[in-house]
Amino acid sequence: MKCGGLEASDLGTVDAVVLTEAASEDVDDGAGGCIALVPEEPEDMWHAYNLIAKGDVVTASTVRKVQTESSTGSSTSNRVRTTLTIRVETIDFDTQACVLRLKGRNIVENQYVKMGAYHTLDLELNRKFTLQKILWDSVALERVELACDPAASADVAAVVMQEGLAHVCLITPSMTLVRSKIDVNIPRKRKGFVQQHEKGLNKFYEAVMQGILRHIDFNIVKCVILASPGFVKDQFFDYMMQQAIKTDNKLLIENKSKFLLVKASSGFKHSLKEVLQEPAVIAKISDTKAASEVKLLESFYTMLQLEPAKAFYGKKHVEKANEAMAIETLMISDKLFRCQDILKRKEYVGLVDSARENGSDVRIFSSMHVSGEQLDQLTGIAAVLRFPMPELEDSDDENDIDSD
Amino acid sequence: MARHRNVRNRNYSDEYDYDDVYGHSVEEDSCMSPSDADQWLYDRSRNQQAMSNFLDSHNDIQEETEEQTAAAHRSLERRESMDLRGLNLSEDDEIKLMSCLDELRNVLGDTIPENILVQSVLKHRFNYDKALDEILNNKAKEDKNVPVVPLPPVIIEPIKAPVIATIDTPKVITTKIEPNKAAVIKGFRIGDETPKSCPQTPRDQSPAKRDRTPSRADQEDKVFTKVKENKTDPNTQYNIERGSDKDHLYIVVIGHVDAGKSTLMGRLLCELGEVSQRTLHKYEQESKKIGKQSFMYAWVLDETGEERVRGITMDVGRAQFETKTKKVIILDAPGHADFIPNMITGAGQADVALLVVDATRGEFESGFDLGGQTREHALLVRSLGVNQLAVAVNKLDTSNWSQERFNEITKKLKAFLKQAGFKDSDVTFVPCSGLTGENLVKAPTEAELLSWYSGPCLLDVIDKFNVPQRPVSKPLRMSINDIFKGTGSGFCVAGRIENGVLNKGDKVLVCPSKEMAEVRSLSINDLTSNSAFAGDQVSVTLSGVEMQNVAVGFILSDPIQQVPVTTRFEARLVVFNVKVPITKGFPVLIHHQSLVESANIVKLKALLNKSTGEVMKKKPRCLGNNSVAVVEIEASKPICIERYKDVKELGRVMLRVAGVTIAAGLVTDIINI
């Protein structure tokens, strides 16, 4: 088995360690090799999820239940920690717990596990694993670089709410995680029953406050955005501070300055998009990928409105535009690179590479952000062009059925 | 013990003599809830005020027919009750008046209503002694009349009963009337249908108002008949129950923020005597305290502390009154852009709409031109199926009742409303002023307005609305817009019955969770009832389901002919003015009745020609401004939805993004997954 090496990226959030020096110094696309990675925070799991594809070989330390039969015939089973190497068949990612689970057959026999036996690896934080690919393409390499970026990622928490509905979200550079969803029925105001409305409201605020306390780590989060239509956010903030003083909650009182109140149109998750466009928020979280992605997608839509011949989506259109070297900005969702079909992935990687060659700006959207979710729905690929291509618009009668 | 046994074994029909019946009715009253009982209890300040008012017009009563008395008396009372602003006093005078009043109260206590005090003070040019003198003299006169006082109220019966003319000893008369009523006038549900509109008029508090007894007996009769009726045609049932009543009309009040919607409605209710003098006085004092006196009428509808402090309506306020031919329930929608979801909920329940615009120069323009809610609200109610509209050109007093201004506004609005799809004949324009009460219930008195306006007042316009046909014979559909704990066991859901009939004891299916529940009790506008029909706003006490498992936006459905539940459906959209075009995958909020759910447009199927409906382009890339298209929408959770052709109300959806309504749609097909 060939083991092409990779140059060591500097040790950042994910440590990439070269196992073997490569025969060729420069790793071109298409070279195989293995790379050791140490995930240090939950977000790295997400990167790993995007990196590992079906057919890759992963070596990691794991716990396996081993049955031993003694000479007398009685069998005992005990758990042993061992290092296994598997060829990945299925990949599962739990977004809530940020756990990556890889299932596959063992390809390196050791004293406990036979060749070809199935094993499921749970990748753990702060434990090294080695990933071996037959082919490291540009997108994968970029992902490694991104993961190793030492720039301290600024986490932002956001609570979008409306009367009776709230989402407590955590926004990291490449993920938006809904930590808690609060859905409480608040009776409407009615003659003589105003108290019920107010009681329901207080119950709701209490639940949101508990959600914040439980899910937001004020040591990591540098800003908490409270967003809502109308006065819900102000009322809630008042309520929370009052409660904090009443119960002498130091945590909330000390972090009062971290709260940022902005307007949103509803309490549903996708109104985060509006929140991330607020100038006040952008100023606070300038380095977060989420905000720039929202902005890009917005500019795509504006272009579609103003000059429809300069904005296209769907693989076929974008490919044609790329052939004409017309793409100014290419937006592509990372979901497309996770697809199981290796050939398809190759096509997308090829598209990205050639677009880069043609001097276009390529942005890979995280499908965990609200903007990425929307791009996913919009076939996962979209482009803003340098010059109008009206002929594309006319030729689309029979295609555009690729994704649903 | 012996006496008790007597009672138990008594043959009622034999012993049904006058005294017993009278006693019976007393007993009935005494087992009322404390709040009800409150109305019958003697409350010094209330009663005195009402009583003395009554005395003033006492002599007229016997000469007039009952209905007229009621009207005349009520309006008289209202007019007498003056608020200080109405007197146009200078500040100095107002202060003098206040101090005189304080002095007078020291002497008289609360025995004399304030309006009388004010009148006499004004009469004697703030001379405290003279005023006091006059009041005391008057009082002495009244006292002589006192023996007569308890009698007259009894005379007035809401129903025409020829006996009345010959009354001498009212006690006997009442007893005669009551059994008559119970026996003769069946289906006359006074107790249920007459709202206790003005609990302060003397006749409401008088013992003669005891028609509750017969109406209860009446209801019991109905329960028996109902069991049989259930199996019969709902239309017949509807006719039997509602044929004799006034039609119910639900009207939503819409318009830009601060157009004066709540104030206009509050004032209208006050003028009609639906708000008690005492409450109004309280609001006046309280609003003055926080320096927002102009909000005193709005407080009639804005009840939560939050709304009052901020001076805006946040949730739909409700109130009711009666016109000559209709029973009107108003839904006062919030005008603020942030509360449009609430406004949609309100508008979804309405039959007709009242658009309020602020005529003040600059205000109308800012509310009407882009960014204002006047347009969005009008478009929304139109898309929600409201086709009759009255436009109240409010605050016209600020431009001195100028005809020019009125015409300018009407011209602009007419053009827009026509474009929005309202027929010219279905839109009426009325000049008025909510704060001064001009042209609301009575023909105008302002000379400037009279010089050019001869049309109807607001109340007449409301009276002239057509009540839409109620689809009572279709299978039951009721959309839930509120869930709350009732007073008794179980919990209540409130909402509007879109289709069909709902009876007490019915089994209903709560959708989309598909749980069976039983209707324990029903109440329409806070009055319990045994059945409710399409178009009614009801609150229903349910049993058999958990309160947590029911959410706003759920549908109560007929268990056999169920409402379809799906996540994916096809709709024909009309796209409004949008900033960015709608593409595939566009995340939207769908508003469907009171349900708000996030959804995605998953497929753009075809772009249609606006006027002909022909397919212009299949699978368009995007939908621009003012286009019409067929799309597929997928909601994030299963929702109850109907094809527009089956149930109109449940076949309409609104799509909103970032606080702006981007499109309205009609459900053309439901896609089963």
Side-chain angles (χ1 to χ4, degrees):
Chain A
M1 184 171 282
K2 193 176 132 202
C3 190
L6 291 160
E7 60 185 287
S9 318
D10 51 350
L11 310 180
T13 50
V14 174
D15 296 330
V17 183
V18 176
L19 290 185
T20 339
E21 273 303 320
S24 59
E25 281 304 315
D26 210 347
V27 181
D28 289 324
D29 299 347
C34 61
I35 189 169
L37 298 159
V38 181
E40 286 177 332
E41 49 186 71
E43 180 142 333
D44 294 337
M45 283 300 175
W46 168 251
H47 292 304
Y49 174 48
N50 278 288
L51 215 46
I52 299 169
K54 202 174 142 185
D56 291 353
V57 173
V58 176
T59 313
S61 124
T62 182
V63 177
R64 185 165 169 104
K65 206 158 93 179
V66 182
Q67 284 203 336
T68 44
E69 204 171 313
S70 68
S71 49
T72 54
S74 70
S75 71
T76 53
S77 96
N78 45 350
R79 300 163 68 83
V80 286
R81 186 165 271 284
T82 172
T83 301
L84 286 180
T85 304
I86 60 164
R87 187 171 296 279
V88 178
E89 284 179 13
T90 48
I91 309 160
D92 285 312
F93 183 61
D94 179 356
T95 54
Q96 281 307 305
C98 277
V99 173
L100 188 60
R101 186 162 288 173
L102 309 166
K103 188 182 162 198
R105 279 173 188 267
N106 184 24
I107 52 167
V108 178
E109 195 174 73
N110 67 6
Q111 62 181 115
Y112 305 113
V113 189
K114 279 204 191 92
M115 192 77 169
Y118 272 101
H119 186 78
T120 302
L121 286 176
D122 274 342
L123 293 190
E124 288 164 81
L125 282 183
N126 295 319
R127 236 175 242 284
K128 191 180 81 178
F129 70 90
T130 310
L131 173 64
Q132 183 180 343
K133 272 181 185 293
I134 304 164
L135 182 137
W136 285 88
D137 53 37
S138 64
V139 174
L141 288 175
E142 197 184 314
R143 175 67 69 174
V144 175
E145 243 163 68
L146 182 76
C148 299
D149 187 0
S153 61
D155 283 359
V156 174
V159 184
V160 277
M161 54 185 165
Q162 67 188 45
E163 250 179 49
L165 180 70
H167 285 89
V168 179
C169 310
L170 209 62
I171 305 172
T172 66
S174 53
M175 279 190 290
T176 301
L177 300 171
V178 177
R179 280 301 183 197
S180 140
K181 179 187 172 195
I182 294 131
D183 195 349
V184 174
N185 169 50
I186 299 175
R188 277 168 202 277
K189 68 166 189 186
R190 47 179 56 240
K191 290 242 181 295
F193 281 110
V194 180
Q195 296 99 323
Q196 254 193 51
H197 172 78
E198 265 145 37
K199 226 164 117 190
L201 211 55
N202 279 344
K203 221 169 88 188
F204 170 64
Y205 289 155
E206 180 64 34
V208 178
M209 189 173 115
Q210 290 308 328
I212 289 179
L213 288 175
R214 198 164 303 154
H215 296 291
I216 296 178
D217 182 351
F218 284 96
N219 295 324
I220 299 172
V221 168
K222 77 168 185 185
C223 142
V224 181
I225 302 163
L226 300 180
S228 83
F231 310 108
V232 181
K233 52 181 186 294
D234 309 276
Q235 269 178 301
F236 169 70
F237 188 60
D238 288 346
Y239 175 87
M240 188 169 66
M241 281 306 144
Q242 266 175 23
Q243 288 297 314
I245 291 164
K246 230 185 251 173
T247 57
D248 204 20
N249 189 327
K250 290 253 165 54
L251 193 66
L252 281 176
I253 298 168
E254 276 166 14
N255 290 296
K256 193 177 176 184
S257 58
K258 281 189 180 171
F259 287 91
L260 184 67
L261 273 61
V262 296
K263 210 171 135 69
S265 69
S266 75
F268 289 93
K269 192 184 160 194
H270 59 75
S271 62
L272 266 181
K273 228 173 65 175
E274 298 157 37
V275 174
L276 292 175
Q277 279 175 304
E278 283 283 324
V281 176
I282 292 176
K284 276 239 175 184
I285 58 163
S286 49
D287 50 355
T288 313
K289 208 177 155 207
S292 66
E293 284 179 6
V294 169
K295 216 166 144 193
L296 263 178
L297 196 64
E298 201 56 35
S299 72
F300 169 78
Y301 271 98
T302 322
M303 188 57 85
L304 194 60
Q305 171 84 334
L306 299 173
E307 277 183 86
K310 277 177 78 178
F312 286 96
Y313 64 85
K315 194 173 153 219
K316 280 211 173 120
H317 280 172
V318 173
E319 267 175 352
K320 274 191 192 149
N322 186 42
E323 277 163 27
M325 296 212 269
I327 297 179
E328 185 172 304
T329 321
L330 176 69
M331 286 165 270
I332 186 160
S333 162
D334 58 13
K335 196 181 171 191
L336 295 181
F337 299 116
R338 283 201 306 272
C339 69
Q340 303 293 315
D341 188 347
I342 292 170
L343 277 179
K344 261 211 176 133
R345 182 183 156 109
K346 229 178 192 167
E347 272 176 35
Y348 286 119
V349 173
L351 184 64
V352 168
D353 287 346
S354 92
R356 279 225 175 92
E357 245 164 59
N358 296 337
S360 351
D361 182 11
V362 178
R363 298 296 188 91
I364 298 175
F365 277 42
S366 163
S367 54
M368 286 293 284
H369 280 314
V370 266
S371 46
E373 270 173 35
Q374 187 174 347
L375 186 64
D376 270 346
Q377 293 280 334
L378 191 73
T379 68
I381 185 163
V384 178
L385 307 195
R386 294 194 179 102
F387 49 85
M389 290 183 72
E391 65 273 16
L392 279 185
E393 229 178 329
D394 306 328
S395 68
D396 62 354
D397 277 340
E398 67 276 19
N399 49 30
D400 210 17
I401 323 157
D402 41 326
S403 79
D404 208 48
Chain B
M1 272 311 283
R3 279 177 63 199
H4 285 260
R5 203 169 297 127
N6 258 343
V7 173
R8 211 182 293 142
N9 299 332
R10 191 162 62 179
N11 184 340
Y12 284 95
S13 55
D14 284 351
E15 298 196 23
Y16 203 63
D17 64 352
Y18 300 143
D19 281 330
D20 269 321
V21 174
Y22 194 64
H24 174 64
S25 80
V26 168
E27 196 180 66
E28 278 276 333
D29 284 343
S30 67
C31 47
M32 275 189 294
S33 73
S35 62
D36 268 14
D38 212 27
Q39 291 173 3
W40 314 104
L41 289 177
Y42 176 74
D43 178 334
R44 201 176 191 204
S45 54
R46 267 203 313 185
N47 228 2
Q48 280 287 346
Q49 180 181 2
M51 200 63 89
S52 55
N53 283 340
F54 177 74
L55 277 170
D56 288 340
S57 53
H58 166 56
N59 290 338
D60 301 332
I61 287 180
Q62 265 147 333
E63 285 148 33
E64 288 175 358
T65 65
E66 289 77 25
E67 240 98 48
Q68 277 166 343
T69 338
H73 183 80
R74 193 175 292 168
S75 64
L76 199 58
E77 189 197 27
R78 290 304 143 198
R79 201 179 294 164
E80 272 172 14
S81 65
M82 43 192 64
D83 56 15
L84 296 179
R85 258 176 324 102
L87 296 169
N88 291 328
L89 292 174
S90 72
E91 264 183 30
D92 280 353
D93 285 357
E94 205 172 307
I95 293 164
K96 275 192 231 164
L97 174 65
M98 282 304 186
S99 57
C100 279
L101 286 179
D102 281 343
E103 288 292 318
L104 287 174
R105 281 204 199 95
N106 283 343
V107 178
L108 299 166
D110 285 336
T111 52
I112 309 283
E114 191 182 276
N115 49 350
I116 293 186
L117 297 184
V118 174
Q119 265 175 350
S120 45
V121 171
L122 288 177
K123 203 163 145 195
H124 297 279
R125 304 291 317 147
F126 308 106
N127 186 326
Y128 155 71
D129 289 320
K130 280 187 186 169
L132 181 64
D133 217 36
E134 194 203 59
I135 293 166
L136 287 177
N137 283 343
N138 274 350
K139 206 184 172 196
K141 253 187 263 165
E142 283 171 25
D143 283 342
K144 278 178 217 156
N145 290 340
V146 161
V148 200
V149 174
L151 310 182
V154 186
I155 306 167
I156 304 131
E157 272 296 329
I159 329 153
K160 291 192 181 167
V163 207
I164 292 174
T166 63
I167 317 156
D168 276 341
T169 46
K171 236 186 172 180
V172 179
I173 294 296
T174 17
T175 49
K176 253 182 200 161
I177 290 167
E178 281 184 350
N180 273 354
K181 232 193 314 177
V184 177
I185 314 153
K186 191 163 176 291
F188 213 118
R189 311 191 333 182
I190 307 116
D192 281 5
E193 298 300 330
T194 346
K196 289 193 279 317
S197 52
C198 185
Q200 265 193 284
T201 55
R203 84 184 55 80
D204 271 327
Q205 292 169 1
S206 76
K209 192 70 179 156
R210 291 220 178 100
D211 46 27
R212 302 193 137 240
T213 321
S215 78
R216 257 180 217 175
D218 198 309
Q219 267 187 12
E220 273 157 32
D221 281 357
K222 237 175 224 140
V223 177
F224 292 120
T225 45
K226 181 126 333 106
V227 179
K228 291 166 229 153
E229 270 170 8
N230 273 348
K231 305 286 176 284
T232 64
D233 183 22
N235 271 325
T236 0
Q237 193 192 347
Y238 181 70
N239 286 337
I240 291 169
E241 296 234 353
R242 289 289 162 80
S244 55
D245 288 339
K246 286 184 179 181
D247 286 324
H248 290 209
L249 182 75
Y250 291 84
I251 175 165
V252 63
V253 188
I254 54 172
H256 189 59
V257 197
D258 290 338
K261 295 174 293 297
S262 300
T263 302
L264 186 75
M265 284 303 111
R267 181 74 195 219
L268 189 69
L269 290 169
C270 294
E271 300 267 337
L272 288 164
E274 299 287 338
V275 184
S276 77
Q277 209 58 45
R278 207 163 63 145
T279 334
L280 198 60
H281 183 73
K282 199 178 90 194
Y283 291 160
E284 191 183 345
Q285 296 300 327
E286 283 172 11
S287 55
K288 221 186 266 174
K289 222 179 276 170
I290 61 168
K292 293 185 174 177
Q293 213 198 342
S294 62
F295 284 101
M296 67 177 270
Y297 290 111
W299 282 19
V300 173
L301 288 147
D302 294 349
E303 285 189 281
T304 57
E306 187 74 14
E307 287 179 317
R308 289 184 177 176
V309 172
R310 302 203 187 263
I312 55 165
T313 310
M314 288 160 76
D315 203 348
V316 179
R318 249 164 232 279
Q320 50 179 310
F321 60 84
E322 286 193 38
T323 66
K324 273 171 238 149
T325 57
K326 291 184 183 68
K327 187 167 170 178
V328 181
I329 293 92
I330 50 176
L331 306 158
D332 178 36
H336 200 282
D338 281 338
F339 303 113
I340 286 192
N342 293 340
M343 177 261 165
I344 293 176
T345 310
Q349 302 160 18
D351 304 315
V352 296
L354 175 68
L355 176 65
V356 182
V357 292
D358 187 342
T360 317
R361 216 158 272 285
E363 287 294 322
F364 169 72
E365 283 74 11
S366 73
F368 181 65
D369 293 329
L370 273 180
Q373 267 72 62
T374 311
R375 278 168 190 274
E376 188 168 3
H377 276 192
L379 280 173
L380 277 172
V381 290
R382 184 67 196 93
S383 334
L384 284 165
V386 170
N387 45 29
Q388 299 175 74
L389 184 76
V391 183
V393 183
N394 195 14
K395 306 193 193 176
L396 205 59
D397 51 335
T398 56
S399 48
N400 218 0
W401 302 105
S402 136
Q403 179 175 16
E404 212 180 296
R405 180 68 179 156
F406 179 74
N407 287 346
E408 184 190 339
I409 291 171
T410 10
K411 208 179 129 200
K412 273 192 188 172
L413 278 177
K414 257 188 189 151
F416 163 69
L417 291 173
K418 195 166 185 180
Q419 192 199 339
F422 287 99
K423 274 189 228 147
D424 271 349
S425 55
D426 287 335
V427 182
T428 330
F429 291 86
V430 193
C432 64
S433 166
L435 202 57
T436 63
E438 195 67 20
N439 205 20
L440 294 186
V441 295
K442 277 168 289 186
T445 51
E446 287 283 340
E448 284 95 338
L449 180 58
L450 273 173
S451 63
W452 56 270
Y453 184 76
S454 56
C457 65
L458 187 61
L459 192 68
D460 290 340
V461 173
I462 292 174
D463 194 45
K464 263 183 232 139
F465 277 127
N466 296 324
V467 177
Q469 192 70 37
R470 309 287 187 201
V472 278
S473 51
K474 289 191 178 170
L476 172 75
R477 301 283 183 267
M478 174 184 151
S479 57
I480 297 174
N481 61 38
D482 191 12
I483 299 153
F484 58 99
K485 278 209 184 79
T487 42
S489 63
F491 66 99
C492 299
V493 297
R496 173 180 156 108
I497 300 184
E498 309 293 350
N499 263 357
V501 187
L502 188 61
N503 291 310
K504 195 173 161 180
D506 275 2
K507 289 249 193 287
V508 290
L509 195 68
V510 182
C511 291
S513 62
K514 298 220 165 169
E515 284 183 274
M516 284 297 270
E518 195 186 326
V519 177
R520 279 280 189 78
S521 67
L522 275 175
S523 70
I524 305 175
N525 300 320
D526 297 331
L527 297 164
T528 50
S529 169
N530 281 318
S531 51
F533 303 94
D536 288 343
Q537 304 270 353
V538 291
S539 53
V540 181
T541 310
L542 289 182
S543 67
V545 280
E546 287 290 311
M547 190 167 170
Q548 298 96 286
N549 297 344
V550 182
V552 168
F554 277 25
I555 305 276
L556 296 187
S557 149
D558 189 297
I560 298 154
Q561 288 162 292
Q562 291 176 9
V563 61
V565 175
T566 184
T567 55
R568 203 171 168 136
F569 60 92
E570 185 191 86
R572 219 179 101 156
L573 289 190
V574 179
V575 183
F576 296 155
N577 262 317
V578 283
K579 257 192 266 160
V580 296
I582 299 173
T583 59
K584 195 155 112 176
F586 210 65
V588 292
L589 288 186
I590 47 174
H591 288 250
H592 175 252
Q593 290 297 328
S594 33
L595 177 82
V596 187
E597 192 58 72
S598 65
N600 266 317
I601 295 175
V602 283
K603 230 186 226 173
L604 307 180
K605 283 190 145 171
L607 193 68
L608 307 180
N609 185 311
K610 257 186 113 173
S611 41
T612 59
E614 277 171 33
V615 176
M616 279 171 29
K617 191 178 179 187
K618 273 192 176 171
K619 292 190 190 129
R621 285 201 312 138
C622 62
L623 308 175
N625 278 352
N626 304 318
S627 51
V628 179
V630 178
V631 300
E632 242 173 61
I633 298 174
E634 191 173 296
S636 57
K637 267 192 251 163
I639 58 170
C640 304
I641 210 155
E642 293 257 17
R643 285 180 194 88
Y644 179 72
K645 60 175 199 269
D646 296 339
V647 181
K648 284 200 170 70
E649 286 78 6
L650 296 179
R652 291 197 179 94
V653 287
M654 301 284 129
L655 305 187
R656 286 173 57 82
V657 168
V660 185
T661 310
I662 57 160
L666 303 179
V667 180
T668 47
D669 203 4
I670 292 164
I671 299 157
N672 288 321
I673 348 124

